[in-house]
Amino acid sequence: MNEFDLIQSYFNWEITDPSIELGVGDDAALFNLNPGHQLVTSTDTLVEGIHFFKDTSPSDIAYKSLAVNLSDIAAMGAIAKCYTLSLTLPKLDKKWLEQFSSSLKESSKLFHVNLIGGDTTKGPLNITITMMGSIEIDSSIKRSGAREGDDIYVTGDLGSAALCLKKIKEGDKPSQIELNSLNKPIPRLELGSALRNLASSCIDVSDGLEQDLSHILRASNVGAIIDTNKLPLGASVNNYVKDTNDWSMPLCGGDDYELCFTAGQSMRDKISALAESLETRVTRIGTINSQKELEVIGFSGVRSSYQHF
Ligand code: ADP
Ligand code: MG
């Protein structure tokens, strides 16, 4: 099997979106955008040994590669549409490809996105997805819109993925629920898109709440105060914090893929109603102020979020 057979066998699926004119197989893909809409695009790479373990299943790797990219589109308030896949593989392993490709196909169906092209090369395992979506002009939620007095919210709960990672690294066996928080993050697509008219700024929490919220603060030229006692925690993180008084998992742990957003206080009722209708936990954790820093009440330990370099 050569590279072209590989693409045909594993990555040339039926396109389910009629606005995509050309997908895999030509020099480039073609698709139409609705009038009055902007293209929203974001890319994320997953590298073996950095973003996933050598023994992570191909199906989990495929799901997560897609989910982390969708999370960025959700954070802009946009609708995801299609994506390209750049795959670098150490060898042509049919079993691996079958599992990866069928999980990617299934996940694409789940999130209503189509694979429209990519690139395939040989080298250390590396998966890059570039996600494309669309949004009405002037309605995206940027990092720069937070204003003094705005509430700060976060979806889901924080720290579970980081705690799972910590357990694996320390040789403990995480539960299936804990493993899911690491391998199966849920991109908050519906919520993100519904926040377009409610939120003043938004970011997805991939490198730790403290660092990602700080990106909002810097872009918006504001400060914030958040209270650790208000942070939403899953059961195992809650126990861990109780035992250790260490808030670094929910504050600085990465891989949550929840949304952190700000909104004016007048939006409180609408945000509660939205959370209820989407059956998604949304928690108010603090307030934007005019200081130029992030103040964290309830934890004075070392705070250091993930950085690649
Ligand atoms: P070129 O050399 O002209 O860039 P390629 O051989 O890289 O063409 O790709 C041929 C076609 O297959 C293109 O449409 C490309 O987008 C698609 N393709 C290549 N690799 C992948 C992949 N991993 N997943 C999906 N489509 C792919
Ligand atoms: Mg070409």
Side-chain angles (χ1 to χ4, degrees), residues 3-4 7 11 23-27 85 87 115-120:
E3 174 198 333
F4 305 104
I7 298 163
F11 299 109
V24 171
D26 214 305
D27 289 317
L85 167 70
L87 202 52
L115 174 61
I116 57 164
D119 198 22
T120 307

Side-chain angles (χ1 to χ4, degrees), residues 160-177:
S160 305
L163 185 60
C164 178
L165 197 63
K166 181 175 156 67
K167 284 193 175 176
I168 296 171
K169 283 182 174 165
E170 290 173 356
D172 294 342
K173 202 172 154 31
S175 68
Q176 191 55 46
I177 294 177

